[in-house]
């Protein structure tokens, strides 16, 4: 199960892309998800053909990925500022955005 603590740990542990993109095993995970997600490696990006052309999560650069993690019900494609969770049992995807760090003054003078 992917809890808030797990998400926090993903951002902490996988903050930068790996030195070798091959270590992410992208073909393996795309194959794992192909029953419900029409993902394709196209040059230096991954395209999700299930989403509309105007959707900002339709395509993303592989070099921006920090990790690909397999959980019970989802596969997480982690980036430094967000995580895309692909459901293994349906076409659903969920996106989690990393909360902005707020400094002392922004907390003091918040709107």
């Amino acid at each position: 199960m992917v809890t808030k603590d797990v998400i926090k740990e993903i951002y902490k542990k996988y903050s930068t892309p790996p030195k070798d993109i091959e270590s992410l095993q992208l073909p393996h995970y795309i194959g794992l998800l192909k029953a419900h997600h029409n993902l394709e490696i196209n040059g230096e990006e991954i395209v999700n053909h299930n989403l509309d052309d105007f959707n900002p999560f339709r395509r993303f650069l592989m070099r921006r990925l920090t990790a690909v993690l397999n959980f019970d019900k989802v596969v997480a494609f982690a980036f430094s500022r967000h995580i895309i969770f692909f459901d293994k049992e349906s076409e659903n995807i969920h996106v989690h955005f990393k909360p902005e760090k707020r400094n002392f003054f922004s907390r003091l003078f918040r709107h």
Side-chain angles (χ1 to χ4, degrees):
M1 184 169 173
V2 183
T3 63
K4 289 181 181 181
D5 290 335
V6 170
I7 291 172
K8 189 175 180 179
E9 188 64 27
I10 291 171
Y11 285 125
K12 183 178 178 181
K13 187 173 181 180
Y14 302 103
S15 60
T16 59
K19 290 182 170 98
D20 181 18
I21 196 78
E22 300 297 323
S23 67
L24 296 176
Q25 302 175 351
L26 290 171
H28 167 73
Y29 290 110
I30 288 174
L32 183 69
L33 294 168
K34 78 178 187 178
H36 299 287
H37 301 279
N38 188 4
L39 299 173
E40 172 192 31
I41 297 175
N42 185 2
E44 294 184 8
E45 62 185 13
I46 296 175
V47 180
N48 184 349
H49 293 287
N50 288 358
L51 300 177
D52 295 326
D53 288 335
F54 59 84
N55 190 310
F57 299 102
R58 177 179 168 84
R59 57 182 68 234
F60 48 88
L61 293 172
M62 291 187 298
R63 69 174 180 253
R64 304 301 263 162
L65 277 166
T66 59
V68 180
L69 305 165
N70 191 7
F71 294 97
D72 289 341
K73 296 184 180 189
V74 296
V75 174
F77 282 64
F79 300 83
S80 62
R81 306 290 301 155
H82 66 280
I83 303 170
I84 304 173
F85 294 98
F86 290 91
D87 195 313
K88 291 182 185 178
E89 299 168 356
S90 73
E91 293 181 0
N92 292 335
I93 66 168
H94 305 279
V95 181
H96 181 274
F97 291 97
K98 184 177 182 179
E100 260 187 56
K101 286 187 178 179
R102 297 179 54 187
N103 65 29
F104 175 74
F105 289 109
S106 68
R107 286 183 292 193
L108 232 171
F109 300 108
R110 77 174 165 175
H111 302 77

